[in-house]
Amino acid sequence: MSARLNPYLGFRDTAKDAMTYYQSVFGGELTLSTFRDFHASEDEAELDKIMHGMLTTDNGMVLMAADTPNSMDYNPGNTFSISLSGEDENELQGYWDRLAGEGTVTVPLEVAPWGDRFGMCTDKFGVAWLINIAGTSPQQ
């Protein structure tokens, strides 16, 4: 197996809700493991929180997430975003519709100077997404 790079999102108490939501957006198989499952916390308040979640879609995308333990700093911010790109307009438009529908559009999904349809949004969990639907490049 070659190396893979997968986004891993950190949440505070909302990893299960977020990953279930992402499954409704992208489909696929979702596995969720709690701190209780791995005997990984002695804090009763953390036992049912998500220690590791992984969504694997039918087309091979993988998204991972966890709840940040109470003993660790959690500073949500705008230091990351997730980019989805490809040629399947219907698939990518559907992702856009679901992510932006309950979130905030920061750049409308429209034809960009490079000829693709491109947009940016922040979903209802505060995660920034970039969607790029391949199109016809401008004539040079």
Side-chain angles (χ1 to χ4, degrees):
M1 173 193 300
S2 61
R4 291 184 292 187
L5 179 66
N6 298 312
Y8 204 111
L9 305 176
F11 294 95
R12 178 74 85 194
D13 306 334
T14 59
K16 181 178 181 179
D17 292 340
M19 292 301 283
T20 300
Y21 171 70
Y22 296 136
Q23 184 183 32
S24 76
V25 171
F26 301 110
E29 181 178 339
L30 176 61
T31 56
L32 297 171
S33 301
T34 64
F35 285 91
R36 182 185 314 273
D37 294 337
F38 289 102
H39 308 286
S41 179
E42 294 181 16
D43 183 345
E44 285 288 325
E46 291 183 343
L47 293 179
D48 293 322
K49 294 180 184 179
I50 302 303
M51 183 180 158
H52 178 70
M54 185 167 82
L55 175 64
T56 305
T57 68
D58 294 340
N59 61 1
M61 293 189 297
V62 175
L63 179 63
M64 298 180 196
D67 284 315
T68 304
N70 295 332
S71 62
M72 295 175 66
D73 287 338
Y74 176 71
N75 299 306
N78 59 1
T79 58
F80 69 90
S81 57
I82 300 174
S83 175
L84 288 170
S85 57
E87 298 176 356
D88 188 327
E89 184 172 3
N90 290 332
E91 178 184 28
L92 290 163
Q93 180 70 54
Y95 297 153
W96 171 266
D97 293 343
R98 291 187 292 275
L99 291 166
E102 295 185 69
T104 304
V105 173
T106 51
V107 174
L109 183 63
E110 55 192 26
V111 177
W114 56 89
D116 295 349
R117 289 181 60 218
F118 175 81
M120 296 170 57
C121 67
T122 301
D123 71 26
K124 66 182 184 178
F125 291 98
V127 175
W129 294 86
L130 296 83
I131 308 289
N132 191 88
I133 305 170
T136 306
S137 299
Q139 298 287 330
Q140 295 190 8

